[in-house]
Structure formats: C-alpha cells, structure tokens
Amino acid sequence: MKMMCTYKLVAFLVFFMFLSNHSSGQIKENYLFYSSLKGNLGNYYGGGITLDLIHKNKYSFGIGFYEHVKKTGNLPTDYKKGALSLLTGGEGIARDNIQSLSLTLGRVFLTKSNWGIRYNLKAGVTYSVSKTPENWVKLNEGGGLLSMENYSYNYKKYREIGILINPTIDIPLFKFLGFSVGPYSFLNLKTISCGIELTTLIGCVKR
C-alpha cells in the first residue's frame, strides 16, 4: 500500500512538471501549477499532498489528501504495542486516525519581496473518515522478541463533512521549487485537528 502511494505521488509530480513546461503561452502567463508535500504537527501529527493552481496571482484552488494520527485517549493503562511494531513502521499500533479529502479556494496577495513571497489565504470543505479503537479485550501474553499487542480491539468509524482553514506564507525560492508555512485547522463535529504545517512546493511555483 505504501509503495502504491509512492508511485501515485511520483506520477502526480511528473504530471505537474510536464503540464507546467508544455502548456500554452496564455496558460503559462495566467496560471501556476504545482504539488504541495505537507508535514503537519499539532494535536495530531501526519501530512498530506495537494495539487494546487493559482490564477493570475490572485486566486488559488487546491484538492488534496491528508492523514493524521495520534495516541488514542482510551488506551488501557497496561497496553503494550509489542516489539513487532518496530519492524513494521508502527503499523498495527492502536491510535486515532483521520483521513481527509479536501477542496479549497483562496485569495492570494503578493508582497513586494524580490523572492515573490505571497500570502495564500485559503479555506474549504473536507470529507473525513475518522477511526478510534474500542472494545478492548486483553490477550494472553506470549512474550518473545516478536510479540504483538497485548489487546485486541475494533475500530469505530465516523464519516464527516467539515471545514479546513489553511492560510499560508508561500516562499517560491526557484521557478520549480519553494516552501510554505502556516497554521491549519480541520474542523469536524467529532474531531478537530490543528497545528503548524510545513510544506515543500514542487512544480511551476512562480514565473
């Protein structure tokens, strides 16, 4: 699954680089196309990828996917994650998880900086699937080097429509590479994920 996601990410980046270089003159003049690779840190941690478009340095549009996780709040006091989780990159550890699809619109304001720094004030709607473990049942501990978790559990799922608020300061250092920083807030009825976002911009990030 992780390898498939990597292939999709590479395909998206190649597509946007191709689109940026081979679009018509009018499109090149009026639009910026790029992909944003995001790292998020707050009450949850995780990241995401968005495909972004800016029209005439005034308006922005983005579509993206995010995944955020955190230690679950109802964890049994004697819960053990097991040594095997270290070999699987943390897969199988009981934790709260939010996966979100986002659609954002924004207003862009250019600064007078020679770097082309801009404020991208964007917000939009999200569709999120949240999971939290429940129905904990303690297992007999077999021990051993490759032991698993000492509890079994089920995941309770919530499907929600929410709001994403994500203003950023974009710093396009080069034509095809830049960075951005800003706060983010995913606001749902049952879950709220907020914090600071650091982003790498890849594609046509400035003219």
Side-chain angles (χ1 to χ4, degrees):
M1 181 62 71
K2 288 184 177 181
M3 185 173 294
M4 182 64 68
C5 291
T6 300
Y7 289 151
K8 290 180 179 179
L9 172 59
V10 172
F12 276 132
L13 297 181
V14 171
F15 169 75
F16 265 77
M17 292 291 286
F18 177 85
L19 187 62
S20 299
N21 283 317
H22 295 82
S23 54
S24 68
Q26 185 175 3
I27 292 178
K28 282 187 174 182
E29 181 179 349
N30 293 331
Y31 292 91
L32 300 175
F33 304 93
Y34 57 92
S35 180
S36 301
L37 307 181
K38 301 171 177 289
N40 302 134
L41 184 61
N43 60 330
Y44 286 75
Y45 64 92
I49 176 173
T50 63
L51 305 179
D52 299 284
L53 178 150
I54 292 180
H55 176 58
K56 292 185 176 180
N57 280 324
K58 290 184 177 181
Y59 305 102
S60 65
F61 169 83
I63 183 170
F65 171 79
Y66 295 80
E67 183 169 14
H68 296 138
V69 298
K70 73 171 184 178
K71 182 179 179 180
T72 186
N74 63 346
L75 200 67
T77 56
D78 60 342
Y79 170 80
K80 297 179 182 178
K81 60 185 179 180
L84 189 60
S85 65
L86 299 176
L87 304 178
T88 59
E91 293 291 334
I93 297 177
R95 53 192 175 188
D96 294 344
N97 177 284
I98 306 175
Q99 294 183 339
S100 303
L101 296 175
S102 67
L103 182 66
T104 60
L105 297 173
R107 183 67 167 92
V108 177
F109 298 92
L110 292 178
T111 69
K112 296 181 180 180
S113 167
N114 293 331
W115 291 98
I117 295 174
R118 57 183 178 252
Y119 299 106
N120 191 351
L121 308 182
K122 56 187 184 288
V125 296
T126 62
Y127 171 75
S128 300
V129 178
S130 305
K131 299 191 303 181
T132 187
E134 63 175 8
N135 299 327
W136 300 89
V137 177
K138 191 168 185 178
L139 304 175
N140 293 326
E141 297 186 42
L145 179 62
L146 298 181
S147 60
M148 297 291 289
E149 297 169 287
N150 63 335
Y151 275 85
S152 66
Y153 48 86
N154 305 118
Y155 275 103
K156 185 174 183 179
K157 289 186 179 182
Y158 305 95
R159 301 179 187 276
E160 304 177 282
I161 301 296
I163 297 173
L164 170 59
I165 302 173
N166 185 212
T168 60
I169 300 175
D170 297 345
I171 308 172
L173 296 178
F174 307 101
K175 183 176 181 180
F176 295 110
L177 179 66
F179 301 93
S180 76
V181 61
Y184 69 91
S185 295
F186 286 83
L187 306 176
N188 300 307
L189 287 177
K190 294 184 180 295
T191 58
I192 295 177
S193 175
C194 57
I196 296 295
E197 178 177 273
L198 300 176
T199 303
T200 300
L201 312 176
I202 302 176
C204 184
V205 299
K206 72 175 179 179
R207 299 299 180 192

